[in-house]
């Protein structure tokens, strides 16, 4: 028979042993937070601030309708990237049924950046309205004085109404034909020529999968899948990061890119992205440009694995590329292995970005740690 003190000690020790204490990444496995709960931050975005990494992502719920935002955007913090502390809900869905951000609308791929001038944290996300599927195609913006929130909702909107991109002339616009019928045999060419762009010119362009990128000069960019997901739009944010400026470009018209994730190395801008297959994975894509508003060139599939791995991006879809602070040329490719039958159980695929002849590539690694970058 154990004394109450022995029992207490036993419970305490068992608790300590159960505490996750990670020292490596194991892509695709359950990843427990400080409360022993699988991290719930899908389609994530990352921010390094005051020596701490923050992870923001979609808080999913269980079951097939788990993609509806019932709770909001979940935040976690970490000093070492392996062990994550639950910081609670940074952006809460609103009970007010008159608000666009009402509970059960769709909030995807939240990204947070810090504005040094205003000292505010700004979160953008892909927003779809309650019970409207993916029809609305809005980008949403929120702001906070504190990194983990609460973030205050500002607005959600379509982008750049009545504004021409820097790389598309009024003449091209006039020549573009609006597609009446998807059976049209010139359909793809018409998309490239600006068909959907013209259709949405006055009401604003669609904005679905998105990310943010802050350049070394603190200019921030919003990168989003537009024109029925056929074309990416890259836009400069305003100086306070709270709105879009009027400067933007169309990238890869007709190229069908989702899941953009940008990083910069040796003065070049790289973009990982995916194709369009809903929650199912597809071959990864990599592109490069000399500037954010430059000519983006498609480099092909960055995955170097088995055919199955290459055709599915290791069963995942990109969400972010994180530069590891304090290590040279150290970038982590971050992606989601979606689980639409039970969204809350979706897994995280983090892989080191490797370079072959200076070109970023991805290889599967079962288990790895940051010393990978020391070689
Ligand atoms: C793929 C996107 O990348 C996800 O964020 C999500 O929007 C799904 N499509 C929905 O099918």
């Amino acid at each position: 028979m154990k004394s109450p003190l022995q029992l207490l000690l036993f419970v305490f020790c068992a608790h300590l042993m159960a505490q996750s204490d990670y020292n490596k990444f194991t892509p695709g496995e359950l990843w427990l937070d400080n409360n022993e709960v699988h991290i719930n931050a899908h389609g994530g975005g990352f921010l390094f601030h005051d020596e701490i990494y923050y992870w923001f992502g979609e808080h999913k719920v269980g079951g097939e309708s788990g993609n509806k935002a019932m709770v909001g955007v979940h935040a976690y913090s970490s000093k070492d990237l392996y062990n994550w502390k639950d910081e609670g809900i940074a952006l809460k869905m609103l009970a007010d049924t008159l608000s666009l951000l009402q509970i059960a609308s769709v909030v995807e791929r939240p990204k947070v950046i810090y504005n040094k001038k205003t000292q505010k944290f700004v979160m953008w996300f892909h927003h779809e309205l309650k019970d409207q599927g993916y029809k609305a195609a809005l980008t949403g913006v929120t702001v906070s004085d504190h990194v983990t929130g609460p973030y205050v909702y500002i607005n959600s909107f379509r982008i750049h109404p009545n504004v021409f991109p820097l790389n598309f002339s009024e003449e091209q616009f006039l020549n573009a034909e609006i597609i009446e019928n998807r059976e049209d045999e010139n359909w793809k060419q018409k998309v490239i020529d600006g068909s959907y762009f013209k259709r949405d010119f006055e009401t604003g362009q669609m904005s679905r999968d998105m990310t943010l990128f802050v350049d070394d000069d603190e200019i921030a960019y919003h990168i989003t899948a537009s024109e029925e997901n056929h074309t990416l739009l890259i836009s400069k944010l305003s100086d306070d990061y709270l709105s879009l400026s009027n400067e933007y470009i169309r990238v890869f018209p007709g190229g069908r890119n989702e899941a953009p994730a940008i990083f910069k190395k040796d003065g070049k801008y790289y973009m990982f992205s995916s194709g369009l297959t809903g929650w199912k994975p597809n071959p990864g894509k990599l592109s490069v440009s000399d500037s954010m508003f430059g000519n983006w060139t498609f480099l092909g599939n960055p995955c170097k694995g088995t055919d199955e791995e290459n055709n599915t991006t290791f069963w995942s879809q990109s969400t972010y590329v994180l530069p590891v602070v304090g290590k040279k040329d150290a970038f982590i490719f971050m992606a989601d292995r979606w689980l639409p039958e039970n969204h809350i159980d979706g897994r995280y695929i983090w892989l080191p970005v490797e370079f072959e002849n200076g070109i970023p590539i991805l290889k599967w690694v079962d288990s790895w740690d940051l010393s990978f970058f020391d070689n």
Side-chain angles (χ1 to χ4, degrees):
M1 198 53 184
K2 290 195 166 51
S3 72
L5 191 69
Q6 280 173 315
L7 270 177
L8 203 70
L9 203 68
F10 176 77
V11 171
F12 179 69
C13 289
H15 177 70
L16 273 188
M17 279 163 68
Q19 290 262 312
S20 47
D21 186 11
Y22 295 105
N23 53 16
K24 59 185 181 189
F25 305 113
T26 50
E29 299 296 316
L30 276 181
W31 197 345
L32 306 183
D33 67 11
N34 61 312
N35 298 321
E36 301 298 309
V37 177
H38 180 49
I39 293 171
N40 196 346
H42 309 263
F46 291 76
L47 179 71
F48 184 73
H49 187 77
D50 284 348
E51 303 305 311
I52 296 178
Y53 291 98
Y54 293 90
W55 177 350
F56 302 88
E58 304 158 22
H59 178 105
K60 309 266 200 191
V61 295
E64 283 181 12
S65 58
N67 192 50
K68 285 186 184 164
M70 306 307 291
V71 178
V73 174
H74 209 135
Y76 295 83
S77 66
S78 174
K79 288 197 171 144
D80 60 9
L81 289 172
Y82 307 115
N83 297 287
W84 291 88
K85 178 172 169 232
D86 186 350
E87 297 283 357
I89 302 302
L91 172 68
K92 287 200 171 72
M93 300 307 289
L94 304 176
D96 178 359
T97 53
L98 295 178
S99 168
L100 295 184
L101 196 67
Q102 66 175 299
I103 293 169
S105 57
V106 169
V107 167
E108 291 181 352
R109 299 181 174 270
K111 303 287 175 275
V112 174
I113 52 181
Y114 177 65
N115 190 295
K116 286 191 181 153
K117 277 191 216 134
T118 63
Q119 302 189 356
K120 305 253 183 221
F121 299 89
V122 182
M123 178 193 292
W124 289 76
F125 57 92
H126 169 197
H127 192 190
E128 296 293 345
L129 302 182
K130 185 170 180 258
D131 299 330
Q132 293 190 24
Y134 280 79
K135 218 172 74 195
L138 310 175
T139 191
V141 59
T142 74
V143 66
S144 178
D145 289 328
H146 307 283
V147 59
T148 54
Y151 283 79
V152 176
Y153 181 50
I154 300 175
N155 201 3
S156 303
F157 47 88
R158 287 219 172 169
I159 64 177
H160 302 306
N162 296 305
V163 181
F164 284 108
L166 298 171
N167 60 352
F168 190 74
S169 68
E170 211 163 329
E171 192 189 342
Q172 284 172 292
F173 177 81
L174 291 174
N175 289 335
E177 281 178 58
I178 292 181
I179 298 165
E180 305 293 351
N181 176 358
R182 300 255 312 231
E183 304 304 308
D184 187 332
E185 54 181 39
N186 290 326
W187 176 74
K188 192 164 179 206
Q189 188 57 46
K190 286 188 177 171
V191 172
I192 296 171
D193 292 344
S195 172
Y196 289 132
F197 176 82
K198 187 167 185 169
R199 182 195 70 185
D200 294 337
F201 186 68
E202 284 176 13
T203 48
Q205 303 297 331
M206 303 173 98
S207 180
R208 290 206 182 110
D209 276 14
M210 54 74 59
T211 192
L212 301 176
F213 175 75
V214 182
D215 209 342
D216 302 329
D217 55 7
E218 300 301 321
I219 292 181
Y221 296 85
H222 178 273
I223 301 98
T224 191
S226 190
E227 301 180 18
E228 304 286 355
N229 291 337
H230 287 277
T231 302
L232 290 168
L233 300 183
I234 299 185
S235 314
K236 235 181 225 181
L237 292 187
S238 57
D239 287 348
D240 60 9
Y241 300 170
L242 295 176
S243 60
L244 300 182
S245 76
N246 281 341
E247 286 175 76
Y248 76 109
I249 57 167
R250 286 176 88 217
V251 175
F252 298 132
R256 295 162 67 87
N257 285 275
E258 274 192 335
I262 306 251
F263 71 104
K264 184 178 184 182
K265 179 178 179 281
D266 299 334
K268 285 196 189 302
Y269 299 77
Y270 292 96
M271 174 166 52
F272 288 110
S273 59
S274 75
L276 293 182
T277 48
W279 298 114
K280 292 204 188 86
N282 54 53
K285 302 190 197 190
L286 176 71
S287 316
V288 66
S289 176
D290 288 334
S291 66
M292 284 301 285
F293 279 171
N295 284 321
W296 285 86
T297 308
F298 181 56
L299 295 177
N301 186 340
C303 304
K304 305 285 170 217
T306 63
D307 285 353
E308 187 185 319
E309 287 172 337
N310 300 344
N311 288 333
T312 61
T313 317
F314 309 101
W315 287 95
S316 72
Q317 189 181 30
S318 41
T319 186
Y320 201 78
V321 180
L322 182 71
V324 179
V325 175
K327 289 193 187 266
K328 193 170 172 332
D329 296 342
F331 302 93
I332 304 179
F333 168 83
M334 298 166 154
D336 292 279
R337 185 170 284 175
W338 305 114
L339 218 74
E341 58 282 11
N342 189 23
H343 274 289
I344 194 172
D345 196 28
R347 302 300 169 87
Y348 308 104
I349 305 299
W350 288 19
L351 294 171
V353 177
E354 300 185 55
F355 293 90
E356 211 171 65
N357 305 320
I359 307 286
I361 58 160
L362 300 170
K363 289 183 184 163
W364 180 257
V365 200
D366 281 329
S367 155
W368 64 283
D369 62 36
L370 295 174
S371 68
F372 189 97
F373 297 116
D374 299 338
N375 302 325

